[in-house]
Short mmCIF file of all heavy atoms in Angstrom, two decimals:
data_model
loop_
_atom_site.label_atom_id
_atom_site.label_comp_id
_atom_site.label_asym_id
_atom_site.label_seq_id
_atom_site.Cartn_x
_atom_site.Cartn_y
_atom_site.Cartn_z
N MET G 13 34.15 -8.37 8.64
CA MET G 13 34.00 -7.09 9.28
C MET G 13 33.66 -6.01 8.24
O MET G 13 32.81 -5.18 8.48
CB MET G 13 35.28 -6.72 10.03
CG MET G 13 35.11 -5.60 10.96
SD MET G 13 33.98 -6.08 12.27
CE MET G 13 34.28 -4.83 13.41
N LYS G 14 34.34 -6.07 7.09
CA LYS G 14 34.05 -5.10 6.02
C LYS G 14 32.61 -5.26 5.49
O LYS G 14 31.94 -4.32 5.21
CB LYS G 14 35.02 -5.25 4.86
CG LYS G 14 36.36 -4.65 5.09
CD LYS G 14 37.20 -4.73 3.82
CE LYS G 14 38.54 -4.09 3.98
NZ LYS G 14 39.31 -4.15 2.77
N LEU G 15 32.19 -6.52 5.38
CA LEU G 15 30.84 -6.79 4.89
C LEU G 15 29.77 -6.20 5.81
O LEU G 15 28.80 -5.63 5.38
CB LEU G 15 30.62 -8.31 4.74
CG LEU G 15 29.26 -8.75 4.20
CD1 LEU G 15 29.07 -8.19 2.80
CD2 LEU G 15 29.21 -10.26 4.16
N LEU G 16 30.00 -6.31 7.10
CA LEU G 16 29.07 -5.74 8.07
C LEU G 16 29.03 -4.22 7.95
O LEU G 16 27.96 -3.62 7.98
CB LEU G 16 29.50 -6.14 9.50
CG LEU G 16 28.62 -5.63 10.61
CD1 LEU G 16 27.20 -6.16 10.47
CD2 LEU G 16 29.20 -6.01 11.96
N ALA G 17 30.16 -3.60 7.79
CA ALA G 17 30.21 -2.14 7.66
C ALA G 17 29.52 -1.69 6.37
O ALA G 17 28.78 -0.70 6.37
CB ALA G 17 31.66 -1.67 7.66
N ILE G 18 29.70 -2.44 5.29
CA ILE G 18 29.05 -2.10 4.03
C ILE G 18 27.54 -2.24 4.15
O ILE G 18 26.79 -1.38 3.68
CB ILE G 18 29.62 -2.96 2.87
CG1 ILE G 18 31.06 -2.57 2.62
CG2 ILE G 18 28.78 -2.82 1.63
CD1 ILE G 18 31.79 -3.48 1.66
N THR G 19 27.10 -3.31 4.81
CA THR G 19 25.69 -3.55 4.98
C THR G 19 25.04 -2.42 5.80
O THR G 19 23.96 -1.95 5.45
CB THR G 19 25.46 -4.91 5.67
OG1 THR G 19 26.09 -5.92 4.92
CG2 THR G 19 23.98 -5.21 5.80
N ILE G 20 25.69 -2.02 6.86
CA ILE G 20 25.16 -0.94 7.70
C ILE G 20 25.09 0.36 6.91
O ILE G 20 24.12 1.09 6.98
CB ILE G 20 26.00 -0.81 8.99
CG1 ILE G 20 25.79 -2.02 9.88
CG2 ILE G 20 25.62 0.47 9.73
CD1 ILE G 20 26.68 -2.08 11.07
N ALA G 21 26.14 0.64 6.15
CA ALA G 21 26.17 1.87 5.36
C ALA G 21 25.06 1.90 4.34
O ALA G 21 24.41 2.94 4.15
CB ALA G 21 27.54 2.04 4.69
N LEU G 22 24.83 0.80 3.65
CA LEU G 22 23.76 0.75 2.65
C LEU G 22 22.39 0.87 3.29
O LEU G 22 21.48 1.49 2.72
CB LEU G 22 23.88 -0.55 1.84
CG LEU G 22 25.04 -0.64 0.88
CD1 LEU G 22 25.12 -2.01 0.23
CD2 LEU G 22 24.97 0.44 -0.17
N THR G 23 22.21 0.28 4.44
CA THR G 23 20.93 0.35 5.15
C THR G 23 20.65 1.78 5.55
O THR G 23 19.54 2.29 5.37
CB THR G 23 20.93 -0.54 6.39
OG1 THR G 23 21.22 -1.87 5.99
CG2 THR G 23 19.60 -0.50 7.11
N LEU G 24 21.64 2.47 6.08
CA LEU G 24 21.45 3.87 6.49
C LEU G 24 21.21 4.77 5.28
O LEU G 24 20.40 5.70 5.34
CB LEU G 24 22.67 4.35 7.26
CG LEU G 24 22.84 3.70 8.65
CD1 LEU G 24 24.15 4.16 9.26
CD2 LEU G 24 21.67 4.03 9.57
N ALA G 25 21.91 4.50 4.20
CA ALA G 25 21.73 5.32 2.98
C ALA G 25 20.34 5.14 2.40
O ALA G 25 19.69 6.11 1.98
CB ALA G 25 22.81 4.95 1.95
N SER G 26 19.82 3.93 2.35
CA SER G 26 18.50 3.70 1.78
C SER G 26 17.43 4.22 2.71
O SER G 26 16.39 4.70 2.24
CB SER G 26 18.27 2.22 1.51
OG SER G 26 18.29 1.49 2.70
N GLY G 27 17.62 4.19 3.99
CA GLY G 27 16.65 4.72 4.96
C GLY G 27 16.50 6.23 4.83
O GLY G 27 15.45 6.77 4.97
N GLY G 28 17.58 6.90 4.57
CA GLY G 28 17.55 8.35 4.38
C GLY G 28 16.76 8.78 3.17
O GLY G 28 16.03 9.76 3.20
N ALA G 29 16.92 8.02 2.10
CA ALA G 29 16.17 8.36 0.88
C ALA G 29 14.68 8.15 1.09
O ALA G 29 13.86 8.89 0.60
CB ALA G 29 16.68 7.48 -0.27
N PHE G 30 14.32 7.09 1.83
CA PHE G 30 12.91 6.81 2.09
C PHE G 30 12.32 7.87 3.01
O PHE G 30 11.21 8.31 2.83
CB PHE G 30 12.79 5.42 2.72
CG PHE G 30 11.36 5.03 3.01
CD1 PHE G 30 10.50 4.74 1.95
CD2 PHE G 30 10.88 4.98 4.31
CE1 PHE G 30 9.18 4.37 2.22
CE2 PHE G 30 9.58 4.63 4.55
CZ PHE G 30 8.73 4.33 3.51
N ALA G 31 13.08 8.30 4.01
CA ALA G 31 12.60 9.28 4.96
C ALA G 31 12.37 10.61 4.30
O ALA G 31 11.46 11.37 4.69
CB ALA G 31 13.56 9.43 6.11
N ALA G 32 13.14 10.98 3.31
CA ALA G 32 12.97 12.26 2.62
C ALA G 32 11.64 12.31 1.91
O ALA G 32 11.04 13.38 1.78
CB ALA G 32 14.10 12.46 1.61
N GLN G 33 11.11 11.18 1.45
CA GLN G 33 9.80 11.16 0.78
C GLN G 33 8.68 11.30 1.79
O GLN G 33 7.56 11.65 1.38
CB GLN G 33 9.66 9.85 0.02
CG GLN G 33 10.65 9.71 -1.13
CD GLN G 33 10.54 8.35 -1.75
OE1 GLN G 33 9.77 7.51 -1.32
NE2 GLN G 33 11.34 8.12 -2.77
N CYS G 34 8.90 11.02 3.03
CA CYS G 34 7.85 11.03 4.02
C CYS G 34 7.95 12.32 4.91
O CYS G 34 7.67 12.23 6.10
CB CYS G 34 7.93 9.78 4.88
SG CYS G 34 7.69 8.30 3.92
N LYS G 35 8.36 13.38 4.33
CA LYS G 35 8.46 14.63 5.06
C LYS G 35 7.42 15.60 4.51
O LYS G 35 7.29 15.75 3.31
CB LYS G 35 9.89 15.20 4.87
CG LYS G 35 10.44 15.88 6.06
CD LYS G 35 11.86 16.27 5.83
CE LYS G 35 12.53 16.62 7.11
NZ LYS G 35 13.88 17.09 6.94
N ASP G 36 6.70 16.25 5.40
CA ASP G 36 5.73 17.24 4.99
C ASP G 36 6.48 18.45 4.50
O ASP G 36 7.29 19.04 5.22
CB ASP G 36 4.83 17.61 6.19
CG ASP G 36 3.70 18.52 5.79
OD1 ASP G 36 3.48 18.73 4.56
OD2 ASP G 36 3.02 19.04 6.69
N LYS G 37 6.24 18.82 3.26
CA LYS G 37 6.98 19.93 2.65
C LYS G 37 6.61 21.26 3.26
O LYS G 37 7.45 22.18 3.29
CB LYS G 37 6.74 19.93 1.15
CG LYS G 37 7.35 18.75 0.45
CD LYS G 37 7.14 18.80 -1.04
CE LYS G 37 7.75 17.55 -1.67
NZ LYS G 37 7.59 17.53 -3.11
N ALA G 38 5.40 21.42 3.72
CA ALA G 38 4.97 22.69 4.30
C ALA G 38 5.59 22.94 5.66
O ALA G 38 6.06 24.05 5.92
CB ALA G 38 3.46 22.74 4.36
N THR G 39 5.60 21.92 6.52
CA THR G 39 6.09 22.14 7.90
C THR G 39 7.49 21.61 8.10
O THR G 39 8.16 21.98 9.06
CB THR G 39 5.15 21.45 8.91
OG1 THR G 39 5.14 20.04 8.65
CG2 THR G 39 3.74 22.01 8.82
N GLY G 40 7.96 20.70 7.25
CA GLY G 40 9.26 20.10 7.40
C GLY G 40 9.29 18.97 8.41
O GLY G 40 10.33 18.42 8.71
N ARG G 41 8.11 18.58 8.92
CA ARG G 41 8.04 17.48 9.89
C ARG G 41 7.89 16.15 9.18
O ARG G 41 7.37 16.08 8.06
CB ARG G 41 6.84 17.66 10.80
CG ARG G 41 6.98 18.83 11.74
CD ARG G 41 5.78 18.92 12.62
NE ARG G 41 6.02 19.80 13.73
CZ ARG G 41 5.17 19.98 14.68
NH1 ARG G 41 4.03 19.35 14.69
NH2 ARG G 41 5.46 20.81 15.67
N PHE G 42 8.31 15.08 9.84
CA PHE G 42 8.13 13.75 9.31
C PHE G 42 6.67 13.34 9.50
O PHE G 42 6.07 13.64 10.52
CB PHE G 42 9.04 12.74 10.00
CG PHE G 42 10.47 12.89 9.60
CD1 PHE G 42 11.39 13.53 10.38
CD2 PHE G 42 10.91 12.36 8.37
CE1 PHE G 42 12.70 13.67 10.01
CE2 PHE G 42 12.24 12.48 7.99
CZ PHE G 42 13.12 13.17 8.79
N ILE G 43 6.13 12.66 8.49
CA ILE G 43 4.74 12.21 8.53
C ILE G 43 4.69 10.73 8.25
O ILE G 43 5.67 10.16 7.78
CB ILE G 43 3.88 13.00 7.52
CG1 ILE G 43 4.40 12.82 6.11
CG2 ILE G 43 3.78 14.46 7.87
CD1 ILE G 43 3.52 13.37 5.02
N THR G 44 3.54 10.11 8.49
CA THR G 44 3.36 8.72 8.15
C THR G 44 3.23 8.61 6.64
O THR G 44 2.45 9.31 6.01
CB THR G 44 2.09 8.15 8.81
OG1 THR G 44 2.18 8.36 10.21
CG2 THR G 44 1.93 6.70 8.52
N CYS G 45 4.04 7.73 6.05
CA CYS G 45 4.05 7.57 4.61
C CYS G 45 2.77 6.90 4.13
O CYS G 45 2.33 5.95 4.76
CB CYS G 45 5.22 6.74 4.16
SG CYS G 45 6.80 7.50 4.51
N PRO G 46 2.18 7.41 3.07
CA PRO G 46 1.01 6.72 2.52
C PRO G 46 1.40 5.41 1.87
O PRO G 46 2.52 5.27 1.34
CB PRO G 46 0.46 7.70 1.49
CG PRO G 46 1.63 8.52 1.10
CD PRO G 46 2.54 8.57 2.33
N PRO G 47 0.55 4.38 1.91
CA PRO G 47 0.89 3.14 1.24
C PRO G 47 0.94 3.33 -0.24
O PRO G 47 0.25 4.17 -0.81
CB PRO G 47 -0.27 2.21 1.62
CG PRO G 47 -1.39 3.12 1.96
CD PRO G 47 -0.77 4.38 2.51
N PRO G 48 1.81 2.59 -0.93
CA PRO G 48 1.91 2.73 -2.40
C PRO G 48 0.62 2.29 -3.05
O PRO G 48 -0.01 1.32 -2.64
CB PRO G 48 3.07 1.79 -2.76
CG PRO G 48 3.21 0.85 -1.62
CD PRO G 48 2.73 1.57 -0.41
N ALA G 49 0.22 3.04 -4.07
CA ALA G 49 -1.01 2.73 -4.78
C ALA G 49 -0.80 1.49 -5.66
O ALA G 49 0.21 1.34 -6.32
CB ALA G 49 -1.43 3.91 -5.65
N SER G 50 -1.77 0.63 -5.67
CA SER G 50 -1.71 -0.57 -6.47
C SER G 50 -2.36 -0.27 -7.82
O SER G 50 -3.58 -0.13 -7.91
CB SER G 50 -2.43 -1.73 -5.78
OG SER G 50 -2.45 -2.83 -6.62
N ALA G 51 -1.56 -0.20 -8.85
CA ALA G 51 -2.06 0.14 -10.18
C ALA G 51 -2.94 -1.00 -10.74
O ALA G 51 -3.93 -0.75 -11.44
CB ALA G 51 -0.91 0.42 -11.12
N ALA G 52 -2.59 -2.25 -10.45
CA ALA G 52 -3.36 -3.36 -10.97
C ALA G 52 -4.77 -3.43 -10.36
O ALA G 52 -5.72 -3.70 -11.03
CB ALA G 52 -2.62 -4.67 -10.68
N ALA G 53 -4.88 -3.13 -9.08
CA ALA G 53 -6.19 -3.20 -8.41
C ALA G 53 -7.08 -2.06 -8.87
O ALA G 53 -8.28 -2.20 -8.92
CB ALA G 53 -5.99 -3.18 -6.91
N ALA G 54 -6.50 -0.91 -9.16
CA ALA G 54 -7.28 0.24 -9.54
C ALA G 54 -7.83 0.14 -10.98
O ALA G 54 -8.88 0.68 -11.27
CB ALA G 54 -6.46 1.52 -9.40
N THR G 55 -7.11 -0.55 -11.86
CA THR G 55 -7.51 -0.58 -13.26
C THR G 55 -8.31 -1.81 -13.60
O THR G 55 -9.01 -1.84 -14.60
CB THR G 55 -6.29 -0.53 -14.16
OG1 THR G 55 -5.43 -1.62 -13.87
CG2 THR G 55 -5.54 0.78 -13.97
N THR G 56 -8.25 -2.88 -12.82
CA THR G 56 -8.92 -4.14 -13.13
C THR G 56 -10.26 -4.20 -12.42
O THR G 56 -10.31 -4.25 -11.19
CB THR G 56 -8.08 -5.34 -12.69
OG1 THR G 56 -6.79 -5.22 -13.28
CG2 THR G 56 -8.71 -6.65 -13.15
N PRO G 57 -11.39 -4.17 -13.14
CA PRO G 57 -12.68 -4.27 -12.46
C PRO G 57 -12.92 -5.71 -11.98
O PRO G 57 -12.39 -6.67 -12.55
CB PRO G 57 -13.68 -3.89 -13.55
CG PRO G 57 -12.99 -4.19 -14.81
CD PRO G 57 -11.53 -3.98 -14.57
N ILE G 58 -13.71 -5.81 -10.94
CA ILE G 58 -13.99 -7.16 -10.39
C ILE G 58 -15.05 -7.81 -11.27
O ILE G 58 -16.10 -7.24 -11.55
CB ILE G 58 -14.50 -7.03 -8.94
CG1 ILE G 58 -13.38 -6.44 -8.08
CG2 ILE G 58 -14.94 -8.36 -8.41
CD1 ILE G 58 -13.81 -6.10 -6.68
N LYS G 59 -14.79 -9.05 -11.67
CA LYS G 59 -15.76 -9.83 -12.47
C LYS G 59 -16.16 -11.04 -11.64
O LYS G 59 -15.39 -11.90 -11.38
CB LYS G 59 -15.11 -10.28 -13.80
CG LYS G 59 -14.75 -9.12 -14.68
CD LYS G 59 -14.11 -9.59 -15.97
CE LYS G 59 -13.74 -8.43 -16.84
NZ LYS G 59 -13.04 -8.85 -18.05
N CYS G 60 -17.41 -11.07 -11.26
CA CYS G 60 -17.95 -12.18 -10.50
C CYS G 60 -18.57 -13.21 -11.45
O CYS G 60 -19.44 -12.86 -12.25
CB CYS G 60 -19.00 -11.68 -9.52
SG CYS G 60 -18.37 -10.47 -8.33
N VAL G 61 -18.07 -14.44 -11.38
CA VAL G 61 -18.52 -15.49 -12.30
C VAL G 61 -19.81 -16.14 -11.79
O VAL G 61 -20.79 -16.24 -12.53
CB VAL G 61 -17.43 -16.53 -12.51
CG1 VAL G 61 -17.89 -17.67 -13.41
CG2 VAL G 61 -16.17 -15.87 -13.07
N LYS G 62 -19.81 -16.58 -10.53
CA LYS G 62 -20.97 -17.30 -10.01
C LYS G 62 -21.78 -16.47 -9.02
O LYS G 62 -22.87 -16.88 -8.62
CB LYS G 62 -20.50 -18.56 -9.30
CG LYS G 62 -19.87 -19.57 -10.24
CD LYS G 62 -19.51 -20.83 -9.46
CE LYS G 62 -18.91 -21.89 -10.40
NZ LYS G 62 -18.57 -23.10 -9.70
N GLY G 63 -21.29 -15.31 -8.60
CA GLY G 63 -21.98 -14.54 -7.60
C GLY G 63 -22.29 -13.15 -8.10
O GLY G 63 -22.37 -12.91 -9.29
N LYS G 64 -22.41 -12.19 -7.16
CA LYS G 64 -22.68 -10.83 -7.51
C LYS G 64 -21.67 -9.95 -6.79
O LYS G 64 -21.10 -10.33 -5.76
CB LYS G 64 -24.08 -10.41 -7.19
CG LYS G 64 -24.46 -10.51 -5.73
CD LYS G 64 -25.91 -10.14 -5.51
CE LYS G 64 -26.30 -10.31 -4.07
NZ LYS G 64 -27.70 -9.98 -3.83
N ARG G 65 -21.46 -8.78 -7.34
CA ARG G 65 -20.47 -7.87 -6.79
C ARG G 65 -21.02 -7.22 -5.51
O ARG G 65 -22.19 -6.81 -5.47
CB ARG G 65 -20.14 -6.80 -7.83
CG ARG G 65 -19.02 -5.92 -7.40
CD ARG G 65 -18.59 -5.06 -8.52
NE ARG G 65 -17.51 -4.20 -8.04
CZ ARG G 65 -17.06 -3.15 -8.62
NH1 ARG G 65 -17.57 -2.80 -9.75
NH2 ARG G 65 -16.11 -2.44 -8.09
N CYS G 66 -20.16 -7.09 -4.52
CA CYS G 66 -20.53 -6.44 -3.24
C CYS G 66 -19.29 -5.68 -2.72
O CYS G 66 -18.37 -6.32 -2.21
CB CYS G 66 -21.01 -7.47 -2.24
SG CYS G 66 -21.49 -6.73 -0.67
N GLY G 67 -19.27 -4.38 -2.88
CA GLY G 67 -18.11 -3.60 -2.49
C GLY G 67 -16.91 -3.94 -3.34
O GLY G 67 -16.92 -3.80 -4.52
N GLY G 68 -15.87 -4.46 -2.71
CA GLY G 68 -14.66 -4.82 -3.41
C GLY G 68 -14.49 -6.32 -3.57
O GLY G 68 -13.38 -6.80 -3.85
N SER G 69 -15.57 -7.09 -3.47
CA SER G 69 -15.47 -8.54 -3.61
C SER G 69 -16.74 -9.12 -4.20
O SER G 69 -17.65 -8.36 -4.60
CB SER G 69 -15.17 -9.21 -2.26
OG SER G 69 -16.27 -8.93 -1.36
N CYS G 70 -16.80 -10.43 -4.28
CA CYS G 70 -17.98 -11.12 -4.80
C CYS G 70 -18.63 -11.93 -3.67
O CYS G 70 -17.96 -12.46 -2.81
CB CYS G 70 -17.57 -12.06 -5.92
SG CYS G 70 -16.86 -11.24 -7.36
N ILE G 71 -19.97 -11.96 -3.71
CA ILE G 71 -20.70 -12.78 -2.73
C ILE G 71 -21.69 -13.64 -3.50
O ILE G 71 -21.91 -13.47 -4.68
CB ILE G 71 -21.46 -11.90 -1.72
CG1 ILE G 71 -22.49 -10.98 -2.41
CG2 ILE G 71 -20.49 -11.07 -0.90
CD1 ILE G 71 -23.41 -10.27 -1.47
N ALA G 72 -22.26 -14.61 -2.81
CA ALA G 72 -23.24 -15.50 -3.42
C ALA G 72 -24.49 -14.72 -3.83
O ALA G 72 -24.84 -13.71 -3.22
CB ALA G 72 -23.64 -16.61 -2.43
N MET G 73 -25.13 -15.18 -4.89
CA MET G 73 -26.35 -14.54 -5.39
C MET G 73 -27.45 -14.49 -4.34
O MET G 73 -28.27 -13.59 -4.31
CB MET G 73 -26.85 -15.22 -6.65
CG MET G 73 -25.92 -15.05 -7.85
SD MET G 73 -25.75 -13.37 -8.38
CE MET G 73 -27.28 -13.13 -9.25
N SER G 74 -27.49 -15.48 -3.44
CA SER G 74 -28.54 -15.53 -2.42
C SER G 74 -28.28 -14.61 -1.24
O SER G 74 -29.18 -14.40 -0.42
CB SER G 74 -28.71 -16.96 -1.96
OG SER G 74 -27.48 -17.41 -1.35
N LYS G 75 -27.07 -14.04 -1.11
CA LYS G 75 -26.75 -13.18 0.01
C LYS G 75 -27.15 -11.72 -0.28
O LYS G 75 -27.31 -11.33 -1.43
CB LYS G 75 -25.24 -13.21 0.30
CG LYS G 75 -24.71 -14.58 0.64
CD LYS G 75 -25.16 -14.99 2.03
CE LYS G 75 -24.58 -16.36 2.35
NZ LYS G 75 -24.94 -16.82 3.64
N VAL G 76 -27.28 -10.92 0.77
CA VAL G 76 -27.61 -9.50 0.65
C VAL G 76 -26.34 -8.68 0.87
O VAL G 76 -25.64 -8.89 1.86
CB VAL G 76 -28.69 -9.08 1.70
CG1 VAL G 76 -28.97 -7.62 1.62
CG2 VAL G 76 -29.95 -9.89 1.50
N CYS G 77 -26.10 -7.78 -0.03
CA CYS G 77 -24.91 -6.91 0.07
C CYS G 77 -25.20 -5.73 0.97
O CYS G 77 -26.20 -5.04 0.78
CB CYS G 77 -24.49 -6.43 -1.32
SG CYS G 77 -23.03 -5.40 -1.28
N HIS G 78 -24.35 -5.51 1.94
CA HIS G 78 -24.52 -4.40 2.88
C HIS G 78 -23.46 -3.32 2.67
O HIS G 78 -23.33 -2.42 3.49
CB HIS G 78 -24.47 -4.89 4.33
CG HIS G 78 -25.58 -5.88 4.64
ND1 HIS G 78 -26.86 -5.48 4.84
CD2 HIS G 78 -25.56 -7.22 4.75
CE1 HIS G 78 -27.63 -6.52 5.09
NE2 HIS G 78 -26.86 -7.61 5.05
N LYS G 79 -22.69 -3.43 1.60
CA LYS G 79 -21.63 -2.47 1.31
C LYS G 79 -22.03 -1.61 0.14
O LYS G 79 -22.69 -2.09 -0.77
CB LYS G 79 -20.33 -3.21 0.95
CG LYS G 79 -19.73 -4.03 2.07
CD LYS G 79 -18.48 -4.71 1.61
CE LYS G 79 -17.92 -5.62 2.70
NZ LYS G 79 -16.71 -6.30 2.24
N PRO G 80 -21.62 -0.35 0.14
CA PRO G 80 -21.93 0.49 -1.05
C PRO G 80 -21.08 0.12 -2.24
O PRO G 80 -19.95 -0.32 -2.10
CB PRO G 80 -21.58 1.90 -0.55
CG PRO G 80 -20.60 1.71 0.55
CD PRO G 80 -20.92 0.38 1.18
N GLY G 81 -21.59 0.30 -3.38
CA GLY G 81 -20.82 0.09 -4.62
C GLY G 81 -21.08 -1.22 -5.20
O GLY G 81 -20.61 -1.74 -6.09
#
């Protein structure tokens, strides 16, 4: 019984800290939290070994890229 109470208390405490980060400071309303930025994906350029770069991935050299970048 004590374990259940501790688990519930910790869940509520961690949820409150997360909710505080997702509050619009100007209006005080809750907003949808932005996804965390991936530092590894932003700093590592894509290196295509057998194909060519197309947007955020690699495609075969014989294919046509329809994505910008």
Side-chain angles (χ1 to χ4, degrees):
M13 193 66 165
K14 282 185 178 182
L15 181 60
L16 180 61
I18 292 171
T19 305
I20 292 172
L22 289 175
T23 303
L24 291 174
S26 65
F30 181 71
Q33 296 174 358
C34 299
K35 216 174 195 184
D36 186 10
K37 292 181 182 181
T39 62
R41 292 182 165 184
F42 287 102
I43 58 172
T44 303
C45 295
S50 176
T55 59
T56 306
I58 297 172
K59 296 180 182 176
C60 301
V61 178
K62 294 183 178 181
K64 61 183 177 181
R65 187 171 179 195
C66 180
S69 63
C70 297
I71 61 171
M73 292 296 283
S74 62
K75 300 288 181 179
V76 176
C77 181
H78 297 285
K79 296 180 183 178

